């Protein structure tokens, strides 16, 4: 009898969960919920970490100064989130070339004396207490513009010239400008964006083999070129033998995770933030989560990013507009991969790279841009066919009215270039090859001539 009752409750719970997930706006609400939970977790952990590191009985100022700045970034991020939800997706697509040009200009200007020199690098523009990191804007620009170009040229992507130009040269220019700062972690994230765009555009696997080989050679060259990067790599390879040098942070992160145990030492009770683990609120905040919230807290963080991966790919799969699909998929891969890299080097399975944990690490421009990307992802969720039908017939709903969100309209697609003349195809010797079918065009039969 007890087993039957338990089985009945399980069946009802299963039906309730899947019934809710089948609702037209389930993806939209899930994205906003995940964004809110990660932002809240980040605010709590930044408060715990920064209040200890800022404590100095011999100096004035508030121990909550870093936390207040983080709250200001969250406030700006909420505006960016609303903008990502409010701006029409076709309009965002139309201005993506201008955004790309602006991002390149900012990357050039930041390495001039106009950029702020800090710790041997020029990565920021400083305006009093405010600072802007152009590489974060460059990520958004490359996602939106790269998807626009690849979708516009969808029918001619079987020709290498159209597949690679102009997306790959523009991305390589971005890589060079970011490395000139220098900013290795920013180059990694831009590389993730480029590889993801080409993957969902249907690029052949041999291209990825060439890109990965080139990236491997580039990483080796860059690691050898800078002494601090070489020290990090050697420390990772030597398995923590340099405990007092370049391997200090990684080793202290392992100690913090080990001290946490299953349930942690308690929120606010971690010892690593008392300068045993420098700048714990930035790159190594996952170590503090493991120390204060334990293994359970780490699993919760992993579950949240795992849920983001599932929801993001669900949105991409359900959208019919190819640009929406590529943007949603690329945003999802970027955010989840950033989290994987950050967690990977905290648990010592990857060398330290400086990639932050999205929405959880302390940040200014990074936090604002990440919340804008969540807004774009939620906006793409509102363009799922079932969501469009529901919003059209039943109205925006309470949340839509509260945020003053317009009803999603039909996406406008720019004209697609025609295939090259037959003489050019014969000269290139590609007339007998099957075309690469990009995202959004699969299963649609042969393209018109």
């Amino acid at each position: 009898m007890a087993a039957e009752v338990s089985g009945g409750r399980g069946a009802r719970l299963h039906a309730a969960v899947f019934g809710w997930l089948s609702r037209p706006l389930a993806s939209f609400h899930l994205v906003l919920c995940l964004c809110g939970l990660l932002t809240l977790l980040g605010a709590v952990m930044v408060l715990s970490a920064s209040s200890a590191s800022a404590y100095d009985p011999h100096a004035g100022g508030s121990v909550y100064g870093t936390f207040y700045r983080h709250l200001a970034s969250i406030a700006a991020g909420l505006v960016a989130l609303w903008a990502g939800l409010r701006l029409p997706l076709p309009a965002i697509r139309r201005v993506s070339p201008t955004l790309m040009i602006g991002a390149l200009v900012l990357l050039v200007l930041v390495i001039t004396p106009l950029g702020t020199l800090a710790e041997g690098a020029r990565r920021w523009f400083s305006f009093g207490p405010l600072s802007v990191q152009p590489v974060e804007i460059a990520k958004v620009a490359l996602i939106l513009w790269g998807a626009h170009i690849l979708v516009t040229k969808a029918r001619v992507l079987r020709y290498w010239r159209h597949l690679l130009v102009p997306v790959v040269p523009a991305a390589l220019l971005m890589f060079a400008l970011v490395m000139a700062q220098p900013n290795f972690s920013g180059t990694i994230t831009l590389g993730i964006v480029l590889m993801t765009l080409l993957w969902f555009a249907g690029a052949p696997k041999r291209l990825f083999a060439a890109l990965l080989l080139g990236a491997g050679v580039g990483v080796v060259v860059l690691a050898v070129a800078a002494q601090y990067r070489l020290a990090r790599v050697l420390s990772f390879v030597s398995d923590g033998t340099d405990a007092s040098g370049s391997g200090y942070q990684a080793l202290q992160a392992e100690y913090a995770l080990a001290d946490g145990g299953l349930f942690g030492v308690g929120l606010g009770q971690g010892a690593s933030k008392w300068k045993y683990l420098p700048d714990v609120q930035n790159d190594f905040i996952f170590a503090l989560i493991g120390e204060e919230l334990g293994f359970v807290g780490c699993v919760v963080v992993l579950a949240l990013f795992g849920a983001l991966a599932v929801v993001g790919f669900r949105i991409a799969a359900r959208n019919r507009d190819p640009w929406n699909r590529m943007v949603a998929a690329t945003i999802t891969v970027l955010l989840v991969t950033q989290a994987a890299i950050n967690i990977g080097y905290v648990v010592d399975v990857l060398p330290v790279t400086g990639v932050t944990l999205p929405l959880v690490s302390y940040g200014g421009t990074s936090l604002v841009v990440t919340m804008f990307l969540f807004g774009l992802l939620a906006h793409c969720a509102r363009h799922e066919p079932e969501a469009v039908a529901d919003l059209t017939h039943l109205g925006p709903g309470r949340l839509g009215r509260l945020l003053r969100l317009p009803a999603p309209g039909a996406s406008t697609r720019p004209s697609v270039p025609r295939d090259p003349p037959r003489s050019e195809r014969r000269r290139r010797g590609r007339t007998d090859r099957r075309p690469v079918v990009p995202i959004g065009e699969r299963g649609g039969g042969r393209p018109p001539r």
Side-chain angles (χ1 to χ4, degrees), residues 104-183:
L104 288 171
V105 171
L106 291 176
L107 289 176
V108 171
L109 293 178
V110 78
I111 59 178
T112 67
L114 293 175
T116 301
L117 181 63
E119 298 180 358
R122 293 187 184 273
R123 304 177 184 176
W124 301 271
F125 291 113
S126 295
F127 307 97
L130 302 177
S131 62
V132 177
Q133 197 170 9
V135 68
E136 299 295 334
I137 301 173
K139 296 177 191 177
V140 180
L142 185 57
I143 291 173
L144 302 179
W145 175 79
H148 165 68
I149 294 296
L150 292 173
V151 169
T152 302
K153 303 173 70 171
R155 295 181 183 175
V156 293
L157 290 183
R158 61 180 175 271
Y159 303 102
W160 285 89
R161 176 170 62 87
H162 292 286
L163 176 64
L164 299 179
V165 179
V167 174
V168 174
L172 293 178
L173 177 59
M174 274 189 169
F175 297 169
L177 292 173
V178 173
M179 283 309 305
Q181 298 178 2
N183 188 345

